[in-house]
Amino acid sequence: MRLLVTGGAGFIGANFILYWLKHHPDDEIVNFDKLTYAGNLENLSSVEKNPRYRFVQGDICVSKDVVAAMDGIDTVVHFAAESHVDRSILEAAPFITTNVTGTQVLLDASLKAKVKRFHHVSTDEVFGALPLNTPDKFNEATAYDPRSPYSASKAGSDHLVRAYFHTFGLPVTITNCSNNYGPFQFPEKLIPLAVTNLLEGRKVPVYGDGKYVRDWLYVDDHCRAIDAVLTRGRVGETYCVGGLTEDVDNLTIIKNILTIMGKDESQIEYVTDRPGHDRRYAVDWTKINKELGWKPENDFQTWLNLTVAWYRDHEDWWKRVKSGAYKEYYAKQYKSAL
Ligand code: NAD
Ligand code: TYD
């Protein structure tokens, strides 16, 4: 395969490129990334000289650049997005531009290039929120009910991808996955923010009562799920991907991290809640399990221990990421805690 990976300098995209080059020794990858605040080529320093890997800086909203990058490509894996809910609350416009318009530009270029597969990476957040203490889970038949500018923009992109399948016959697949965690995640998201704050001797900001539930998926498990869908999935289909089979709330995760790091609960700081905060996400991943034999490789505790260890061992990486513009974002987002 010759893959165009969009957003490959971000968290999941970079993990995916490293995973794919290792497990598919005959394939070539072009990484197309704008390098926004979230893009970091340091994530890919171990493969930058690999002859099967090439980086192209570009914006998925700019048609001529996308068309040029698509030359010789047979498979598109689309990660590029504005991805953080809190930033979408501070400013929605870049989310609509990149996530909706950018996806449409990419779909048009993919049609023109006659790619054999367009895989779209989406989120469980398009399904809205579930109540606490119910057995309900999201699955492929759940109606869309996005509630933040981020999830609304991702829902728009999902609809466009399906529209290009039905209207133009573009061979698409979609995965809607839950919250990822693991190496190279930008420390604006809960787990890397908590771990790196604690390593810096700072407290962990917990929104509201902390009794919000997410389904947690280790990034490598996610990469294997995309691999299963790309190599064995059915065109036109959507697959939900999740990591946990039991609910775990944010406070429990933070306490777990405190224990791993030998800290106590005085390091928790309750801060103003996120507006419109979705109470609970849970994903039923029966379809991908039954059809493609995918399941998470390890349990949450094993992956969480490894993740904390990775940030402990990569202080240079996150210290660089947390300098500069990150400080301005942190001051704006967490002003109630400063
Ligand atoms: P990220 O924010 O870490 O990385 C996004 C990448 O996209 C960055 O490298 C950035 O430079 C690039 N990018 C942004 N705008 C661009 C543009 N206009 N043109 C080209 N490149 C652009 O995101 P992530 O956490 O790696 O998420 C990747 C994908 O997975 C996103 O589509 C996101 O919606 C989806 N997703 C993420 C999670 C999660 O927990 N992180 C969960 C479900 C789904
Ligand atoms: P986040 O990592 O931003 O992912 P998402 O909003 O896409 O689920 O947040 C995960 C959960 O953690 C969510 O319930 C919000 C909460 N949270 C905090 O309590 N404090 C924080 O500083 C952050 C970033 C998130």
Side-chain angles (χ1 to χ4, degrees), residues 65-281:
D65 295 350
V66 173
V67 168
M70 204 77 88
D71 189 34
I73 293 296
D74 53 46
T75 305
V76 175
V77 187
H78 178 31
F79 294 95
E82 288 293 336
S83 70
H84 190 38
V85 174
D86 292 323
R87 288 187 192 255
S88 80
I89 296 168
L90 292 171
E91 192 189 4
F95 286 74
I96 308 308
T97 305
T98 286
N99 300 1
V100 182
T101 305
T103 300
Q104 170 256 311
V105 168
L106 206 56
L107 286 162
D108 278 337
S110 302
L111 265 183
K112 207 166 166 184
K114 297 191 171 56
V115 300
K116 295 200 182 86
R117 180 70 68 87
F118 183 100
H119 182 74
H120 179 56
V121 179
S122 192
T123 168
D124 60 356
E125 304 193 23
V126 298
F127 301 124
L130 297 166
L132 286 179
N133 304 317
T134 60
D136 305 355
K137 292 192 175 196
F138 301 134
N139 64 33
E140 293 78 7
T142 305
Y144 276 46
D145 183 23
R147 295 151 51 98
S148 73
Y150 164 66
S151 54
S153 68
K154 291 296 288 188
S157 67
D158 292 12
H159 291 320
L160 276 171
V161 172
R162 284 195 194 93
Y164 274 65
F165 169 68
H166 291 294
T167 306
F168 303 114
L170 186 70
V172 309
T173 40
I174 299 178
T175 40
N176 290 93
C177 72
S178 57
N179 288 55
N180 283 223
Y181 62 104
F184 301 120
Q185 185 166 30
F186 197 84
E188 63 188 352
K189 308 274 166 59
L190 181 68
I191 290 179
L193 186 135
V195 176
T196 58
N197 269 21
L198 291 168
L199 288 169
E200 286 176 310
R202 300 174 82 139
K203 294 190 179 188
V204 180
V206 169
Y207 295 166
D209 59 11
K211 295 195 176 94
Y212 292 90
V213 171
R214 264 73 186 127
D215 181 302
W216 294 94
L217 172 65
Y218 188 65
V219 66
D220 239 39
D221 283 332
H222 183 194
C223 293
R224 284 189 306 103
I226 297 173
D227 188 341
V229 172
L230 275 178
T231 52
R232 307 191 300 284
R234 286 181 293 140
V235 165
E237 293 291 315
T238 291
Y239 296 87
C240 284
V241 188
L244 282 183
T245 43
E246 277 171 27
D247 281 5
V248 50
D249 66 28
N250 295 341
L251 210 44
T252 307
I253 290 181
I254 296 308
K255 288 181 185 168
N256 191 331
I257 291 172
L258 288 168
T259 306
I260 298 172
M261 298 181 69
K263 306 251 181 188
D264 64 42
E265 290 179 24
S266 65
Q267 297 310 304
I268 295 175
E269 182 163 31
Y270 291 91
V271 299
T272 312
D273 208 351
R274 170 188 287 173
H277 197 168
D278 289 339
R279 190 46 95 172
R280 172 173 172 261
Y281 305 145

